[in-house]
C-alpha cells in the first residue's frame, strides 16, 4: 500500500521551473535576510533540505526545522514566528538574496 501511494505521488508530482516561483516568496534553496523583531539584528539564512558543510556567510536552516517551516512560502515583508528551543522568536523577512 505504501509503495502504491508513493508511486501515485510520483505520477502526480510537478516540477516548478524558476519562472513559476514568485520572486518574493521563500522556497527551498533561498537565501534570505531576516531581522529579529525583538533585537533588530539582521542575519542571512539559507533554507536547505539537509545540512551541508559549506563554509558560507549564512546560517543553514533545514526545511523541517521550526524556522524552516515558518519560512517556507512566506513573503518578503512578512513577519514569521518560530518556536525555537530557547523560546518563541519573530523574524521579519527583509529580502531574498538568491
Amino acid at each position: 500500500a505504501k509503495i502504491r501511494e508513493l508511486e501515485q505521488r510520483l505520477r502526480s508530482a510537478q516540477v516548478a521551473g524558476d519562472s513559476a516561483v514568485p520572486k518574493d516568496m521563500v522556497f527551498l534553496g533561498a537565501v534570505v535576510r531576516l531581522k529579529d523583531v525583538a533585537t533588530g539584528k539582521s542575519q542571512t539564512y539559507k533554507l536547505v533540505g539537509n545540512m551541508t558543510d559549506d563554509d558560507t556567510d549564512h546560517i543553514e536552516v533545514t526545511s523541517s526545522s521550526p524556522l524552516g517551516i515558518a519560512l517556507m512560502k512566506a513573503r518578503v515583508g512578512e513577519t514569521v514566528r518560530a518556536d525555537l528551543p530557547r523560546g518563541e522568536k519573530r523574524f521579519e523577512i527583509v529580502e531574498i538574496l538568491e
Side-chain angles (χ1 to χ4, degrees):
K2 184 69 173 172
I3 291 172
R4 282 192 302 275
E5 176 189 342
L6 291 173
E7 287 173 340
Q8 176 57 36
R9 289 179 70 186
L10 285 173
R11 279 193 297 275
S12 63
Q14 296 180 356
V15 177
D18 288 343
S19 62
V21 177
K23 300 297 182 205
D24 68 338
M25 187 178 284
V26 180
F27 282 100
L28 195 62
V31 176
V32 298
R33 183 175 317 283
L34 302 179
K35 181 174 78 172
D36 185 318
V37 173
T39 66
K41 183 179 175 185
S42 292
Q43 287 189 300
T44 306
Y45 297 82
K46 182 173 184 176
L47 190 59
V48 298
N50 294 310
M51 300 297 278
T52 67
D53 291 330
D54 292 346
D55 187 24
T56 59
D57 295 332
H58 49 261
I59 300 165
E60 289 186 337
V61 177
T62 62
S63 58
S64 60
S65 69
L67 182 55
I69 292 167
L71 286 174
M72 188 64 78
K73 295 187 179 180
R75 293 184 181 266
V76 172
E78 288 183 1
T79 299
V80 297
R81 186 193 69 141
D83 294 319
L84 304 176
R86 294 185 183 164
E88 178 185 292
K89 295 282 258 180
R90 293 185 184 272
F91 297 93
E92 178 186 344
I93 302 171
V94 177
E95 66 180 321
I96 297 175
L97 303 169
E98 295 178 24

